[in-house]
Amino acid sequence: MTHSPKTPIQFQCGILMPNRFMLAPMTNTQSHNDGTLSDDEYHWLTMRAKGGFGLTMTCASHVQQVGKGFPGQLGIYADMHIEGHQRLASQIKAYGSLAVIQLHHAGMRSPYEVIQQKAVCPSDSEKHNARALTLDEVHELRNDFIAAAVRAKQAGYDGVEVHGAHGYILTQFLSSKINLRKDDYGGSLQNRARLLFEIVDGIRTACGPEFLLGVRLSPERFGMQLEEVKTISQQLIDDHNIDFLDISLWDVFKLPEEEKHQHQSLLEHFAELNYKHVKWTVAGNIRSGNDVQHVLDAGVDFVSIGRSAILHYDFPLQVLNNLNFSPTQLPVSEAYLKNQGLGPNFIAYMKRWDGFVLE
């Protein structure tokens, strides 16, 4: 079924998304050291809502101090963060966009210099200078994800996305390569997925049926197997009352890395799932208006835009006006990025992307 980028989406929880464009959750390193919202982060995100994104998602926002993944990360692990989130969510919604926060914990990927202590992980990892969580700490982690969602609801967000992708702590639990636990949270796929499922179910119970709830997963890398990610996706759809699945494919046009699955693209693999009432979105290399339409034509409900949203705060409006719209050529100047609402810390971060910012 082909969707037009401008058609609204009705989620199972009753919430309406005005078009098919979601701002992908993006690291931007521009909030305060204690996790409170900065004016720069506020400006970056509200400008995207103004630019026509039907759903504006925050950067990954950590649910425990020890789960901080990068400097300047926006936090939601304490009540002191609520005030900034209220300001942010209300302005995003004032522009007619859905306000959604991504709940995150970096696990073994929390850098020592950022958290000033040993990182935590499902199992000890010498390579990452990370220690295994005790069983009590696993339960505490689950409860802190749920508590963060409750804070998000208090702050006025329309919903949350649980970050289970990209090698962060929930991926670490899902991965048979990283998770070597011998208790209820390790071993079989069902045990490795237990924490994710308990978090999702706990958020639904605590925040109610009208709260938008999504999960982000990524196949490949960090010991993730395509077949297992598809199984977990289908179980989330069938048994866990989510509203949307966000599949981060690194590149929506690529073939799977596992040879036995290379008879079709990653996108085609995920299109095979039975989504029922659940909407789905994908991210990865969706740059132009034509890319957007290609992905929607593949049966995807809405697109997650990252790089092109950095280059054009109003990317959705540009595409809705002209389906052949292509983003400006790289590299771009610092002044250009400032004009698109990026603060100095975000611009400095973008300089780490090869060929993005003019030298």
Side-chain angles (χ1 to χ4, degrees):
M1 188 171 67
T2 300
H3 306 298
S4 159
K6 61 172 178 271
T7 318
I9 293 175
Q10 179 99 43
F11 290 103
Q12 164 88 348
C13 65
I15 286 178
L16 196 69
M17 179 172 168
N19 61 36
R20 305 270 164 167
F21 294 90
M22 169 176 127
L23 176 69
M26 275 185 281
T27 299
N28 61 73
T29 70
Q30 51 186 4
S31 270
H32 298 303
N33 198 36
D34 63 358
T36 53
L37 178 76
S38 70
D39 287 345
D40 282 350
E41 185 130 23
Y42 170 86
H43 182 54
W44 145 254
L45 287 165
T46 56
M47 202 165 159
R48 267 72 206 156
K50 185 182 181 181
F53 280 93
L55 190 160
T56 303
M57 193 173 290
T58 68
C59 70
S61 192
H62 50 311
V63 303
Q64 287 184 337
Q65 206 164 353
V66 72
K68 187 174 182 178
F70 52 89
Q73 185 172 6
L74 180 63
I76 188 133
Y77 59 83
D79 288 350
M80 67 172 173
H81 298 128
I82 292 175
E83 192 182 335
H85 287 295
Q86 281 173 328
R87 178 179 165 226
L88 178 60
S90 89
Q91 190 57 51
I92 288 172
K93 287 158 78 170
Y95 285 125
S97 180
L98 297 181
V100 176
I101 182 168
Q102 190 187 56
L103 306 181
H104 167 259
H105 190 298
M108 69 183 191
R109 300 190 67 194
S110 295
Y112 184 84
E113 59 275 17
V114 169
I115 59 171
Q116 299 297 309
Q117 58 180 296
K118 227 179 160 125
V120 296
C121 191
S123 312
D124 290 327
S125 172
E126 205 173 311
K127 180 185 167 188
H128 291 91
N129 188 28
R131 66 168 183 84
L133 291 161
T134 66
L135 186 58
D136 283 348
E137 286 174 328
V138 174
H139 294 152
E140 192 182 342
L141 175 63
R142 172 194 66 204
N143 296 341
D144 285 345
F145 263 97
I146 298 165
V150 170
R151 274 187 208 104
K153 188 177 179 187
Q154 283 176 314
Y157 282 103
D158 292 297
V160 298
E161 175 176 273
V162 176
H163 197 341
H166 299 171
Y168 296 118
I169 204 155
L170 297 178
T171 309
Q172 291 158 33
F173 270 89
L174 292 171
S175 169
S176 59
K177 197 165 113 185
I178 298 168
N179 181 353
L180 308 174
R181 297 180 74 90
K182 300 283 189 262
D183 59 13
D184 285 350
Y185 293 91
S188 67
L189 179 61
Q190 284 317 102
N191 278 359
R192 286 180 275 124
R194 187 182 303 277
L195 178 60
L196 172 63
F197 293 157
E198 287 182 348
I199 288 168
V200 168
D201 294 346
I203 290 172
R204 179 57 79 206
T205 301
C207 295
E210 285 154 21
F211 194 63
L212 189 65
L213 177 54
V215 176
R216 176 169 252 207
L217 295 173
S218 51
E220 309 187 331
R221 307 188 195 178
F222 306 102
M224 298 306 293
Q225 290 169 357
L226 179 57
E227 217 41 67
E228 289 196 340
V229 177
K230 286 172 75 175
T231 298
I232 292 161
S233 298
Q234 194 64 61
Q235 289 175 334
L236 281 164
I237 293 162
D238 292 345
D239 305 323
H240 297 282
N241 201 5
I242 62 167
D243 296 296
F244 70 94
L245 255 181
D246 175 3
I247 309 293
S248 184
L249 296 177
W250 315 103
D251 178 347
V252 295
F253 304 103
K254 79 190 270 298
L255 289 176
E257 284 171 16
E258 295 168 71
E259 273 183 38
K260 63 181 174 185
H261 297 308
Q262 288 180 348
H263 57 282
Q264 57 188 12
S265 69
L266 276 179
L267 185 59
E268 288 165 331
H269 273 283
F270 282 94
E272 288 178 340
L273 297 178
N274 179 4
Y275 286 93
K276 301 178 180 174
H277 61 273
V278 172
K279 305 300 181 190
W280 70 300
T281 182
V282 292
N285 207 20
I286 305 169
R287 304 279 171 86
S288 66
N290 288 321
D291 292 344
V292 168
Q293 194 59 61
H294 171 84
V295 170
L296 294 177
D297 287 347
V300 178
D301 291 299
F302 56 107
V303 292
S304 296
I305 305 294
R307 183 181 295 230
S308 289
I310 294 173
L311 292 171
H312 299 276
Y313 82 92
D314 59 350
F315 178 78
L317 296 179
Q318 297 280 4
V319 173
L320 291 172
N321 286 329
N322 170 21
L323 202 52
N324 294 316
F325 177 76
S326 278
T328 191
Q329 292 292 305
L330 294 174
V332 291
S333 67
E334 291 185 36
Y336 178 89
L337 291 172
K338 187 179 178 190
N339 202 34
Q340 294 298 321
L342 281 72
N345 285 359
F346 197 0
I347 292 170
Y349 179 76
M350 291 315 298
K351 287 181 176 175
R352 293 164 46 177
W353 289 31
D354 198 29
F356 203 94
V357 185
L358 271 171
E359 290 300 321

